[in-house]
């Protein structure tokens, strides 16, 4: 949720943070992967880790090609059905990732990380109406470079972390329209463990952004900065409290202080552990460069999204012999003023501040696992009810008021099962996505669909080395569905993966 803004994002719905930490490899580990799949899907990748416990190098490369030439069925105006092969929707991606880690004395860690990626893809064309209709597609080339240097210093009661980096993003549309952005950033934070019950984190970051975009107004570069503080305290045994405060500084608008307060209480009995939690937060999202400048529109009048959200939840873990059962339920509500949404105005799309959006719902998950001779099995499921509606629109006659937001299913559910016996593994995942509205809630509605995937795998071992072979059947029931209105999705398809693990 919005509390994730503590880590550098003002995304109201939350954010995902990826990290890569050293394993301080002593020796060399190599992984080679080769995938073959339907519709010209070929993936080749390699990863090498080497080190001596004081330093470590990680290198990863991959190349992926996908023709994406699956077939789909259309129906003409008189009801006749035709099978059409999708054209002009291929992609070719490759990337290199390199990391160096070095221990400094007994309490320091220095790292340099780099990532370069080149991604070419043809923009998937709309589904055709007649079999002989040409499928004209656009093409996009993306190139991305990420460089970062970081240092962590470990004290007896805390850690100091500092990093600086450079990010370059390049996108060329149809060989004519260029989007290029350069970013320089610096982060620093300090963690202190004052006592066994109290910990505090303080920090900040600054970023300079310099875009070169064909449709932006000139001199759109800017600085922005953030400061934050987080305090965690165990009030009494098993009762945790966490308070986060964050403030962003940008030159074009004022931003609020974003606080979040959460608490959790743990009860442990003989075979059961119960954790009750609650959270309240204020969040915001500042308009992006695209929101403010795309298409020479200069929408500098856009206001920041401003949200308030509340959540309560209960987790239960029960263990009995070789069996465990876990269940979790969360109930939440979020109200957002000035939600930014892009809407068509004639032949152009422009961003608007929707006056008020509310998202409320419940998420329930459960899983049962049992250890058996030479393996284990498990079954589980998830259900999510998400009621996200526009309460007040940009005008009094906005037809979307009172309707679910576009492409937001009210109901989602997943059922899964897995079985491991010796070196064999089998799994099944069935995901249900409820009906959704398209961009026009009066005329566009996408039907619900159910997608079933199954996987079988086998591991082979030879001394310190291993081979894993995995076969997947995706969309087993060959369901015809659309994630976005007018764009086909593949039917039943297959994927074979072979992984080699070599240790020296």
């Amino acid at each position: 949720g919005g509390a994730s803004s503590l880590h550098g994002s003002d995304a109201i719905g939350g954010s995902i943070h990826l990290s890569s930490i050293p394993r301080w490899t002593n020796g060399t580990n190599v992984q080679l992967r080769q995938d073959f799949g339907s519709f010209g899907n070929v993936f080749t990748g390699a990863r090498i880790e080497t080190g001596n416990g004081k330093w470590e190098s990680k290198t990863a490369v991959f190349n992926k090609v996908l023709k994406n030439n699956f077939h789909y069925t259309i129906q003409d105006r008189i009801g006749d059905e035709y099978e059409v092969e999708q054209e002009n929707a291929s992609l070719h991606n490759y990337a290199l990732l390199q990391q160096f880690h070095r221990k400094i004395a007994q309490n320091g860690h220095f790292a340099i990380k780099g990532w370069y990626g080149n991604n070419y893809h043809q923009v998937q064309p709309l589904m055709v109406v007649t079999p002989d209709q040409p499928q004209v597609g656009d093409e996009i080339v993306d190139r991305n470079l990420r460089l970062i240097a970081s240092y962590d210093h470990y004290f007896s009661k805390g850690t100091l972390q500092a990093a600086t980096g450079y990010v370059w993003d390049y996108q060329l549309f149809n060989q004519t329209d260029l989007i290029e952005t350069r970013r320089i950033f610096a982060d620093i934070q300090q963690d202190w463990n004052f006592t066994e019950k109290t910990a505090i984190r303080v920090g900040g970051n600054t970023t300079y952004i310099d875009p070169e975009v064909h449709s932006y107004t000139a001199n759109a570069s800017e600085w922005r900065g953030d400061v934050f503080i987080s305090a965690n305290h165990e009030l009494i045994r098993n009762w945790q409290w966490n308070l986060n405060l964050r403030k962003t500084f940008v030159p074009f608008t004022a931003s609020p202080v974003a606080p979040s307060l959460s608490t959790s209480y743990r009860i442990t009995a003989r075979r059961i552990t119960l954790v009750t939690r609650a959270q309240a937060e204020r969040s915001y999202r500042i308009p992006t460069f695209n929101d403010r400048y795309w298409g020479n529109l200069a929408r500098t009048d856009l206001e920041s999204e401003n949200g308030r959200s509340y959540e309560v939840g209960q987790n239960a873990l029960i263990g009995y012999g070789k069996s465990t059962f876990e269940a979790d339920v969360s109930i939440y509500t979020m109200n957002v003023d000035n939600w930014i949404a892009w809407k068509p105005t004639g032949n152009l799309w422009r961003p608007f501040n929707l006056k008020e959006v509310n998202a409320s719902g419940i998420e329930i998950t459960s899983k049962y696992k049992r250890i058996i001779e030479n393996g284990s099995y498990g079954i589980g499921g998830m259900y999510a009810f998400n009621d996200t509606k526009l309460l007040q629109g940009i005008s009094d006659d906005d037809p979307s008021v009172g309707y679910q937001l576009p492409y937001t299913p009210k109901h989602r559910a997943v059922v899964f099962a897995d079985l491991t016996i010796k070196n064999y593994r089998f799994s099944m995942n069935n995901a249900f996505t409820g009906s959704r509205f398209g961009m026009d809630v009066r005329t566009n509605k996408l039907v619900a669909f159910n997608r079933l995937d199954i996987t079988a795998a086998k591991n082979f071992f030879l001394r310190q080395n291993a081979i894993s072979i995995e076969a997947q059947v995706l969309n087993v029931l060959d369901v015809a569905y659309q994630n976005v209105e007018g764009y086909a999705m593949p039917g039943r398809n297959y994927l074979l993966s072979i992984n080699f693990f070599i240790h020296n």
Side-chain angles (χ1 to χ4, degrees):
S4 66
S5 65
L6 179 70
H7 303 285
S9 169
D10 51 11
I12 280 184
S15 52
I16 298 173
H17 296 270
L18 306 179
S19 63
S20 177
I21 59 177
R23 295 193 293 181
W24 302 118
T25 303
N26 192 358
T28 300
N29 296 319
V30 179
Q31 180 184 357
L32 305 174
R33 175 171 172 170
Q34 182 65 62
D35 293 359
F36 300 98
S38 303
F39 320 125
N41 186 1
V42 179
F43 176 93
T44 304
R47 183 176 65 187
I48 302 174
E49 298 180 357
T50 185
N52 63 2
K54 294 183 178 180
W55 65 269
E56 182 178 79
S57 170
K58 295 183 178 182
T59 305
V61 293
F62 76 82
N63 184 78
K64 179 181 177 65
V65 177
L66 176 64
K67 292 182 179 179
N68 221 12
N69 57 344
F70 58 84
H71 291 78
Y72 61 89
T73 301
I74 63 171
Q75 189 176 75
D76 64 15
R77 295 179 179 178
I78 62 175
D80 293 333
E81 291 189 346
Y82 300 90
E83 189 175 80
V84 177
E85 179 179 317
Q86 180 169 259
E87 302 173 345
N88 299 321
S90 66
L91 63 84
H92 181 198
N93 302 337
Y94 58 87
L96 167 68
L97 297 89
Q98 178 63 59
Q99 303 178 42
F100 295 103
H101 298 270
R102 171 70 179 178
K103 289 182 178 179
I104 307 297
Q106 298 297 318
N107 52 5
H109 167 214
F110 177 73
I112 298 177
K113 305 175 185 179
W115 165 31
Y116 174 77
N118 188 98
N119 304 318
Y120 165 84
H121 74 273
Q122 295 174 303
V123 179
Q124 182 184 12
L126 285 166
M127 299 173 64
V128 298
V129 179
T130 59
D132 55 351
Q133 180 181 344
Q135 300 181 46
V136 180
D138 299 312
E139 63 178 26
I140 294 178
V141 177
D142 283 298
R143 299 187 179 107
N144 311 97
L145 176 66
R146 311 273 195 271
L147 299 172
I148 184 171
S150 63
Y151 177 72
D152 298 347
H153 194 86
Y154 307 100
F155 301 94
S156 59
K157 291 189 176 183
T159 304
L160 174 66
Q161 297 175 302
T164 184
Y166 172 78
V167 177
W168 173 70
D169 295 315
Y170 170 98
Q171 183 179 96
L172 186 63
F173 178 75
N174 281 346
Q175 302 296 319
T176 55
D177 296 338
L178 175 65
I179 298 174
E180 187 174 3
T181 304
R182 292 166 290 273
R183 297 180 179 89
I184 301 173
F185 67 89
D187 301 331
I188 188 168
Q189 71 177 39
Q190 172 73 57
D191 297 338
W192 286 287
N193 297 314
F194 282 106
T195 67
E196 293 183 355
K197 295 184 176 182
T198 304
I200 291 180
R201 171 182 294 175
V202 296
N205 59 70
T206 184
T207 304
Y208 174 72
I209 309 172
D210 181 27
E212 182 180 329
V213 181
H214 63 89
S215 64
Y216 281 8
T217 54
N219 302 317
S221 60
E222 70 182 31
W223 285 93
R224 65 180 297 170
D226 302 88
V227 293
F228 62 84
I229 182 171
S230 174
N232 189 80
H233 179 67
E234 186 179 43
L235 188 63
I236 60 175
R237 182 178 174 84
N238 295 328
W239 191 8
Q240 297 282 343
W241 286 85
N242 182 261
L243 173 65
N244 300 324
L245 298 171
R246 186 178 188 87
K247 172 67 175 176
T248 296
F249 302 91
V250 290
F252 57 87
T253 187
S255 63
V257 174
S260 68
L261 179 65
S262 61
T263 183
S264 65
Y265 185 69
R266 179 186 299 269
I267 300 175
T268 303
R270 185 177 179 182
R271 293 173 177 166
I272 185 171
T273 299
L274 299 175
V275 178
T276 304
R277 62 185 183 275
Q279 179 170 291
E281 60 197 22
R282 180 184 183 183
S283 52
Y284 62 91
R285 188 178 79 88
I286 295 171
T288 65
F289 270 102
N290 275 357
D291 293 333
R292 289 180 284 135
Y293 296 118
W294 184 259
N296 291 316
L297 298 175
R299 293 299 311 272
T300 54
D301 59 329
L302 286 174
E303 299 183 47
S304 298
E305 296 178 348
N306 192 353
R308 298 159 303 282
S309 59
Y310 309 91
E311 179 180 342
V312 294
Q314 179 69 57
N315 180 273
L317 178 62
I318 303 172
Y320 185 82
K322 296 181 179 181
S323 300
T324 58
F325 175 77
E326 184 174 7
D328 190 278
V329 59
S330 294
I331 302 173
Y332 63 90
T333 184
M334 178 174 67
N335 213 72
V336 182
D337 296 326
N338 299 318
W339 185 295
I340 297 175
W342 286 67
K343 289 177 169 286
T345 56
N347 295 325
L348 295 176
W349 285 71
R350 302 185 66 192
F352 294 90
N353 282 120
L354 303 184
K355 295 305 181 183
E356 186 178 4
V357 173
N358 179 266
S360 300
I362 182 170
E363 295 182 359
I364 302 172
T365 62
S366 63
K367 182 176 182 178
Y368 172 80
K369 183 177 181 179
R370 181 169 177 81
I371 304 298
I372 59 176
E373 185 177 359
N374 297 319
S376 66
Y377 68 85
I379 56 174
M382 180 278 292
Y383 170 74
F385 172 80
N386 182 4
D387 186 33
T388 303
K389 291 181 178 178
L390 177 62
L391 302 183
Q392 184 179 354
I394 57 178
S395 62
D396 294 337
D397 59 349
D398 191 330
S400 300
V401 172
Y403 285 89
Q404 188 88 348
L405 289 189
Y407 298 113
T408 306
K410 187 171 287 189
H411 303 279
R412 291 185 301 117
V414 175
V415 177
F416 60 88
D418 59 75
L419 170 66
T420 301
I421 299 179
K422 293 185 178 179
N423 296 321
Y424 293 89
R425 177 172 54 86
F426 306 92
S427 65
M428 177 276 293
N429 189 88
N430 189 85
F432 169 81
T433 300
S435 60
R436 295 151 293 146
F437 290 110
M439 293 306 300
D440 188 339
V441 299
R442 295 169 299 181
T443 60
N444 305 127
K445 191 169 186 177
L446 281 71
V447 299
F449 64 90
N450 208 60
R451 172 173 160 158
L452 172 65
D453 302 331
I454 59 175
T455 301
K458 174 73 165 68
N459 296 327
F460 304 88
F461 297 94
L462 179 61
R463 297 181 181 178
Q464 301 182 77
N465 307 319
I467 300 175
S468 174
I469 299 178
E470 181 178 278
Q472 291 182 286
V473 183
L474 308 174
N475 194 2
V476 176
L477 303 179
D478 200 27
V479 174
Y481 67 99
Q482 298 176 34
N483 278 330
V484 178
E485 184 184 16
Y487 293 91
M489 294 296 291
R492 184 184 303 112
N493 60 99
Y494 308 91
L495 181 66
L496 175 67
S497 300
I498 305 173
N499 278 275
F500 298 87
F501 300 91
I502 304 169
H503 178 72
N504 185 11

